[in-house]
Amino acid sequence: MNMNLVQGIIIGFVSGFAEMLPISADAHRLILRTIFGIPTEDALFRLFCHGFSLLMLVWMFQEDLRHLQRTNRIMNTPPKRRRQKLDYASSITIRLLKTAFIVMLVMRVLLSKLTLIQERLSYMTIALAFNGLVLLVPSLIRNGNMDSRNMPKITGAIMGIGGGIAGIPGVSHMGTVTSFAVSSGVDRRYALRFASILMIPNLAIEVVFDLSSMMVSGSALSRRMLLTSLVGGCFAAFATYLGVRLMHWIADRRGFDCFAYYCWGTALLCYILFLIV
């Protein structure tokens, strides 16, 4: 059964929303496809969902990206030739992001073969249960207040490991990066901002993987699938915007451990679908 337009809108919206929440977009797409009776996930649809979410994130964090780019340019200018004062906090953030990205990229490449099992409900049940445990850990640890001004470089590597683990299908990037950061003593709001910016190269990696899948499969494109993918991608972008706003609202008021119980409930739903499908 091929995905129709209405199903594409629903799956695209849920995918974009779940991408920015610590609840796994992969798992939610699989659950919806199982409910709709869609046996396989089209690489083009996944590409549009990831690509449009990436564009939305770049737009939402454009000021942060421009500031980091300007800081990076000043950092690469010899001190005697600098016309602007170096923002020390931003320079540390750049170093942390570079460290996290390198660690994340290596782990994502090493775990890329695991995408072969992302279509299994039995596996997603385990992955979502693990994701819930990861989200619960920070609530058992005293809240920290570290940010770029007093954060050691090793913390960037730890957050990169979190992003790398998210290469396992069913494990959330936002969940692992923020949980690893908060568990290391990082301020919750800074951890969320860091994870959101790190999500940009993470989605770029996903786009590369999606393009690779399309070239390997060599499947023919139909107008219907192209339209469904385009509309689904637009709804994914809108949902990404809503997800970012919701996460910042939650970060200002409480922790993210509430999503742990949601992940366990979703894991139970996966297991039930596994038994009846």
Side-chain angles (χ1 to χ4, degrees):
M1 177 180 176
N2 294 323
M3 185 186 303
N4 60 42
L5 185 60
V6 174
Q7 292 168 344
I9 290 173
I10 295 172
I11 296 175
F13 182 88
V14 173
S15 176
F17 196 61
E19 203 75 70
M20 298 312 301
L21 270 60
I23 57 176
S24 175
D26 290 331
H28 282 74
R29 286 197 303 271
L30 176 60
I31 290 171
L32 287 174
R33 285 195 296 104
T34 302
I35 293 172
F36 291 146
I38 303 170
T40 58
E41 185 172 51
D42 189 270
L44 178 65
F45 182 82
R46 192 170 61 244
L47 171 65
F48 272 76
C49 286
H50 287 147
F52 277 59
S53 291
L54 171 61
L55 292 175
M56 176 56 73
L57 274 181
V58 170
W59 178 76
M60 293 187 72
F61 289 93
Q62 57 183 308
E63 290 187 11
D64 295 83
L65 295 174
R66 277 199 295 263
H67 182 70
L68 291 174
Q69 185 181 30
R70 184 165 55 249
T71 300
N72 188 58
R73 187 170 60 250
I74 296 172
M75 287 171 61
N76 294 327
T77 303
K80 293 183 178 180
R81 295 176 55 189
R82 291 174 184 170
R83 298 181 180 180
Q84 294 175 296
K85 185 178 179 181
L86 178 65
D87 183 347
Y88 178 74
S90 294
S91 67
I92 297 299
T93 296
I94 290 173
R95 293 189 180 98
L96 291 169
L97 283 168
K98 288 179 178 178
T99 301
F101 173 72
I102 292 171
V103 175
M104 181 182 74
L105 179 61
V106 171
M107 291 192 65
R108 291 301 301 271
V109 172
L110 293 175
L111 295 172
S112 60
K113 297 299 181 182
L114 291 179
T115 55
L116 297 174
I117 60 176
Q118 70 181 24
E119 301 294 316
R120 302 177 186 176
L121 285 166
S122 56
Y123 166 76
M124 282 298 182
T125 300
I126 299 172
L128 283 167
F130 170 76
N131 196 70
L133 287 174
V134 171
L135 292 172
L136 192 65
V137 170
S139 66
L140 307 176
I141 301 173
R142 184 178 178 182
N143 291 333
N145 59 359
M146 287 196 303
D147 56 22
S148 59
R149 295 168 297 181
N150 54 4
M151 193 189 306
K153 196 172 183 178
I154 186 65
T155 306
I158 291 173
M159 289 187 283
I161 292 173
I165 290 175
I168 302 174
V171 178
S172 165
H173 169 92
M174 294 300 293
T176 51
V177 175
T178 54
S179 292
F180 277 44
V182 174
S183 299
S184 301
V186 179
D187 175 72
R188 192 165 58 234
R189 287 181 291 269
Y190 181 82
L192 177 60
R193 175 174 171 265
F194 189 95
S196 299
I197 295 175
L198 191 62
M199 176 62 95
I200 293 174
N202 178 68
L203 284 173
I205 293 172
E206 293 287 359
V207 167
V208 172
F209 284 163
D210 295 338
L211 287 170
S212 176
S213 297
M214 287 182 63
M215 289 187 291
V216 170
S217 64
S219 56
L221 299 178
S222 65
R223 290 184 179 179
R224 177 182 174 183
M225 195 61 224
L226 183 60
L227 176 62
T228 300
S229 300
L230 178 61
V231 175
C234 291
F235 274 86
F238 175 62
T240 297
Y241 174 85
L242 297 179
V244 171
R245 294 303 182 198
L246 176 61
M247 284 295 285
H248 280 81
W249 183 84
I250 292 174
D252 288 336
R253 288 160 178 79
R254 55 164 301 155
F256 307 121
D257 54 296
C258 56
F259 290 107
Y261 305 103
Y262 176 86
C263 285
W264 291 332
T266 309
L268 178 60
L269 174 60
C270 265
Y271 184 66
I272 292 172
L273 289 173
F274 168 71
L275 294 176
I276 64 177
V277 172

